[in-house]
Amino acid sequence: MTGAFPITIYHNPECGTSRNALAMIEAAGYAPVIVDYRSAGWPGLLLNELLAAMGVRPREVMREKGTPAAELGLLDPSVSDEAIVEAMRMHPILVNRPIVVTPKGAKLCRPSEVVLSLLDRQPAQFTKEDGEIVRP
């Protein structure tokens, strides 16, 4: 069903939020393109294009916990957007996840149920890994 309504998820399979967003997409009947951005990286202008599509600055999607953000000095408010994007290219784990792109737009889906706003149809009900029930 991906062709009629293409979906791409920039995914980290080790992240519960990312796994939940992917499972919600699949529960709604979609077969998304799944990109493990940690291994694929951010080629060319892709990251800049995603940031523009989401209408956010790099700092807004920068992950601090479990990343080298502090060691790289990226937490200083004076660090430029360009420097943050370059660091994200060199260390893909710095980009928070999941980012989902559909014909309805692109969003950082944290919490995972944000993904529902990007879908044309919804799962009837969804239970997250932690047992929380999401009703669209």
Side-chain angles (χ1 to χ4, degrees), residues 9-88:
I9 179 170
Y10 295 90
H11 177 60
N12 177 346
E14 294 178 14
C15 170
T17 300
S18 196
R19 288 191 307 269
N20 280 321
L22 175 58
M24 282 184 223
I25 293 167
E26 293 173 337
Y30 296 101
V33 172
I34 302 168
V35 178
D36 183 342
Y37 67 90
R38 298 167 312 153
S39 57
W42 300 105
L45 296 176
L46 176 61
L47 185 55
N48 293 77
E49 291 166 357
L50 288 171
L51 293 168
M54 291 187 290
V56 299
R57 296 181 63 197
R59 189 173 300 281
E60 295 175 65
V61 299
M62 181 174 65
R63 183 164 179 84
E64 297 175 16
K65 182 181 171 187
T67 75
E71 293 84 11
L72 295 170
L74 300 174
L75 304 183
D76 185 321
S78 68
V79 176
S80 71
D81 287 351
E82 295 78 17
I84 294 172
V85 168
E86 185 57 31
M88 288 173 164

Side-chain angles (χ1 to χ4, degrees), residues 95-119:
V95 178
N96 219 333
R97 70 284 181 156
I99 295 174
V100 178
V101 180
T102 79
K104 288 188 163 191
K107 290 184 181 182
L108 172 63
C109 294
R110 295 189 76 80
S112 55
E113 52 268 28
V114 168
V115 75
L116 299 174
S117 68
L118 294 171
L119 304 178

Side-chain angles (χ1 to χ4, degrees), residues 24 113 116 122-128 131-136:
M24 282 184 223
E113 52 268 28
L116 299 174
Q122 308 291 307
Q125 180 173 300
F126 182 81
T127 304
K128 290 184 178 184
E132 178 185 349
I133 296 174
V134 176
R135 292 180 181 89

